[in-house]
Amino acid sequence: TDRLEWLVGAFYLQYEEEFHNLAATEMPLVVYDLNRTKIESMALFGDVTYEVIDNLFLTGGLRYTQDDKEFFSSLFLQPGNASSSNTSGLVSANYQFTDDVMGYARVSTGYKAGGFSPRAPFLAKFDPEKATAYELGLKAEWFDRRLRTNLSLYQTDYKDLQVQQFQSGTGGSVGYTVNAAEATFRGFELEVVAKLSEGLMVDAAYGYTDPKYDRYLFRDPVTDIISDVADVARFSALAKYNWHVGAEYTFAPFSAGQFSARLDWSEQAERYFYPLDSINIFNEQVKDPGTENLRARLALTEMPLGAGTWEVALWGDNLTDHNNVGYGIDFGGLGFGGLHYSEPRRYGIDVKIRF
């Protein structure tokens, strides 16, 4: 019927990669070890949406996934095999209050396959991660569609959360993935787009998340004792908030094409890259204290070129030349750490041709 919509589909992936560790202490460089990973993933999915009454739509969906992974390392005698399957689902309700205002509620489950840590000095297998997500949202257009707002509130509960742990010492560095945690993420996102005048658009977005570990199990490398360190563990590479504001002015078209100018400013809160200060002793020193970026772009588009068009744009990125941290590395076991910075102030020209 006109009130019913449905979708079914299938997914298949086959992937293989090799990773070589090179010994930098010998010249020429020699292969220290060889890692090979094979992945096969397949899924069947479907969903149904039904308009129960006027403007009220209910949706239900299911997805079945099968994942198979094989890991080989020249350091180990036996390869590793990991197989997992999962059935996840979604239930949602959308209500169209008016032509310009729609609210929704959604509950869904998700799954992330397990695998192996290729850089670990032992066959380090980790299990699948599971999540249950809850979301409420409101999407609306106002003032004859000159203002658009999207607001969503969410909570996601994780079980067997896959977390990265990194340690270093005189024997080298060790990085591996473990199912150490259960966690709850709560937050909201707000997006606003406004047409202030003919040709002038302004957009802004703000996102906030408040994560909390409900459990974080850690095996002390010295005592071999497992303890719950949820009260002191950090979330790796996660910023509590980020925001952005931008403006673009598009001039009226003329014979040579159309000219536009855009300016964007964005900020992101601080990020720690390692979960435990007691293991990564330079965690505080190698954190990202927060990023900021000013971007600008001037473009001349829709210029005639034979049967097609072409465009040219002048752009600048990180115009304030801020020292934005991309990543921090903590070799605490060796007594030092370091920072990797993102690119400094940049300029460029883009040229595109469309036929």
Side-chain angles (χ1 to χ4, degrees):
T1 68
D2 292 340
R3 291 181 176 268
L4 180 67
E5 294 182 356
W6 57 272
L7 171 72
V8 294
F11 169 84
Y12 180 78
L13 170 68
Q14 190 175 47
Y15 175 74
E16 182 174 344
E17 70 174 1
E18 287 189 359
F19 179 83
H20 300 263
N21 279 326
L22 301 179
T25 57
E26 301 181 34
M27 295 301 292
L29 296 178
V30 297
V31 176
Y32 172 64
D33 68 79
L34 166 67
N35 297 331
R36 182 183 299 115
T37 302
K38 294 182 179 180
I39 299 174
E40 185 177 45
S41 179
M42 59 188 72
L44 297 174
F45 57 88
D47 64 62
V48 176
T49 299
Y50 185 70
E51 188 176 7
V52 182
I53 59 175
D54 288 347
N55 299 323
L56 175 61
F57 300 85
L58 298 182
T59 299
L62 286 174
R63 178 188 178 99
Y64 175 80
T65 305
Q66 173 70 42
D67 289 297
D68 298 293
K69 295 185 179 181
E70 180 180 323
F71 175 74
F72 166 81
S73 173
S74 59
L75 297 177
F76 313 132
L77 295 178
Q78 298 294 329
N81 293 280
S83 295
S84 59
S85 61
N86 175 264
T87 300
S88 55
L90 175 146
V91 177
S92 69
N94 298 353
Y95 188 75
Q96 197 76 39
F97 294 98
T98 69
D99 289 342
D100 297 326
V101 180
M102 186 270 287
Y104 66 90
R106 179 184 301 130
V107 179
S108 61
T109 59
Y111 146 92
K112 184 178 179 181
F116 300 89
S117 300
R119 291 183 176 271
F122 51 89
L123 190 60
K125 180 181 178 181
F126 54 92
D127 295 326
E129 169 186 296
K130 296 181 180 179
T132 302
Y134 310 88
E135 184 177 358
L136 292 173
L138 186 70
K139 299 183 177 183
E141 293 181 326
W142 315 86
F143 309 115
D144 198 23
R145 300 189 174 181
R146 299 179 69 88
L147 174 67
R148 182 187 307 125
T149 58
N150 295 329
L151 173 66
S152 64
L153 311 175
Y154 65 86
Q155 173 176 315
T156 305
D157 300 327
Y158 289 93
K159 291 186 177 181
D160 295 322
L161 182 66
Q162 298 170 3
V163 296
Q164 307 295 318
Q165 294 186 351
F166 180 85
Q167 295 174 251
S168 62
T170 56
S173 59
V174 178
Y176 49 91
T177 302
V178 294
N179 299 95
E182 294 181 2
T184 300
F185 285 64
R186 295 188 178 96
F188 70 90
E189 295 178 350
L190 174 64
E191 298 176 351
V192 179
V193 180
K195 184 177 182 180
L196 300 185
S197 66
E198 193 64 34
L200 178 60
M201 300 287 292
V202 173
D203 58 276
Y206 183 87
Y208 176 82
T209 184
D210 182 23
K212 178 184 178 182
Y213 283 117
D214 304 308
R215 184 192 66 174
Y216 192 112
L217 300 181
F218 176 74
R219 183 189 298 273
D220 191 295
V222 177
T223 64
D224 206 36
I225 296 176
I226 297 177
S227 58
D228 188 351
V229 294
D231 56 335
V232 296
R234 304 183 188 276
F235 286 85
S236 301
L238 187 144
K240 273 203 166 187
Y241 69 83
N242 62 83
W243 65 275
H244 156 266
V245 61
E248 181 170 355
Y249 191 86
T250 302
F251 293 82
F254 59 103
S255 59
Q258 188 167 47
F259 183 73
S260 63
R262 181 170 183 87
L263 193 66
D264 291 275
W265 174 264
S266 59
E267 289 190 17
Q268 180 179 268
E270 68 176 11
R271 297 177 298 155
Y272 287 86
F273 298 109
Y274 302 97
L276 294 174
D277 294 356
S278 59
I279 299 300
N280 301 105
I281 60 176
F282 295 120
N283 202 15
E284 184 72 34
Q285 287 75 23
V286 301
K287 73 176 182 180
D288 168 18
T291 62
E292 59 184 51
N293 193 11
L294 177 64
R295 300 186 300 272
R297 181 180 178 89
L298 301 174
L300 184 58
T301 62
E302 303 299 327
M303 293 185 289
L305 181 65
T309 61
W310 72 290
E311 65 182 64
V312 60
L314 173 66
W315 56 266
D317 190 34
N318 192 13
L319 293 177
T320 61
D321 203 25
H322 190 261
N323 289 328
N324 291 318
V325 174
Y327 194 75
I329 188 74
D330 184 339
F331 287 104
L334 299 175
F336 69 94
L339 291 172
H340 168 74
Y341 288 94
S342 301
E343 293 178 313
R345 182 189 294 121
R346 298 184 300 148
Y347 304 98
I349 297 177
D350 293 337
V351 177
K352 297 180 181 179
I353 300 176
R354 291 186 174 90
F355 296 100

